[in-house]
Amino acid sequence: MSAQTDRPRILVTRKLTEAAEQRLATRFDVQFNASDTPMSAEALTQAMRDFDALVPTVSDRITGEMLRTEGRRVRMIANVGVGFSNIDVATAQELGVAVSNTPDVLTDATADIALLLILASTRRAYAAEKTLRDGAWTGFSVVDGLGTSIQGKVLGIIGMGRIGQATAKRAAAGFGMEVVFYNRSDPGALSFPARRLDSIDAVMQAADVVSVHVPGGGAAPLVTAEHIAQMKPSAHLVNTARGDSIDQAALVAALQSGRIAGAGLDVFADEPHVPEALRAMDTVTLLPHVGSATQEVRTAMGLLAADNLEAFFAGRDLPCRVA
Ligand code: DGY
């Protein structure tokens, strides 16, 4: 426990980059989680009573029950992440607890990882690397390990927000892909050619690669088993958004039966649990939720969380308020 000061008491639930931790330490009476392991629900509930603000991240579930804790002192939650499906934002709003996130600074890094997964899946990079690492490579072959080219193929974007647009732009401008997309509302003028389709089904049917960019946290996955069943047998599915945005069990079944050709996944329904069935398939490229994981971006996210906190305690508008 830190010494008593009149600066706001802040709990940072996971380790941040040094620059971000230093900035927070200069402005707040801050407690860091040096072990960098996820805190228990009990510890987070207790923190509601002990701190003025929390700085959680996507691995912390901040429930309505926690927010309703008797004697709650927390008035502000500065999430380190653009996604905030880990927080019961509706309850926070109802109780007048401010919530902020960290958009924009991670858009390019996450789009880069989407492209990495699109390429890895279509070029069968994991299977090829595994052959080599297993010592099973017998030398160059004209016909072994063939993937498919993405030039001229159709990329289907589900969710044309900031990261969806950055992914589509890279795919169109850098790799000659034709872009179709589904977005609930009109995203306005785009800086690359793209065709808006009127349903997820239409995108699933048209796409050679589907890339998912919708927030999770809904009562049910937006991309359902029925949607996955519409995909071409040669198609690949990439998800860098949230694991619960798609029906993971249906995806596993489609991959196992060869109903679709491959997948590239950076996010999972119940992280850090990754189904054994997924880990066993060499048609799937798996990453441990690293979409925004660069030194620069993780620092920018921490600093943006600090900006939000500073604005809140100074009585200014939050740069990125979500509740
Ligand atoms: C986010 O920001 O929501 C990512 O999932 C973690 O960086």
Side-chain angles (χ1 to χ4, degrees), residues 57-58 79-84 102 106 110 240-242 266-267 289-293 298 301:
T57 188
V58 296
N79 203 43
V80 179
V82 64
F84 44 84
T102 60
L106 46 60
T110 308
T240 51
R242 284 292 181 268
D266 184 44
V267 288
H289 204 144
V290 293
S292 62
R298 289 285 163 85
M301 291 167 73

Side-chain angles (χ1 to χ4, degrees), residues 204 224-232 254 259-260:
M204 300 310 251
T224 63
E226 291 70 32
H227 292 136
I228 293 168
Q230 306 282 319
M231 291 174 73
K232 298 180 186 177
R259 180 54 205 84
I260 64 172

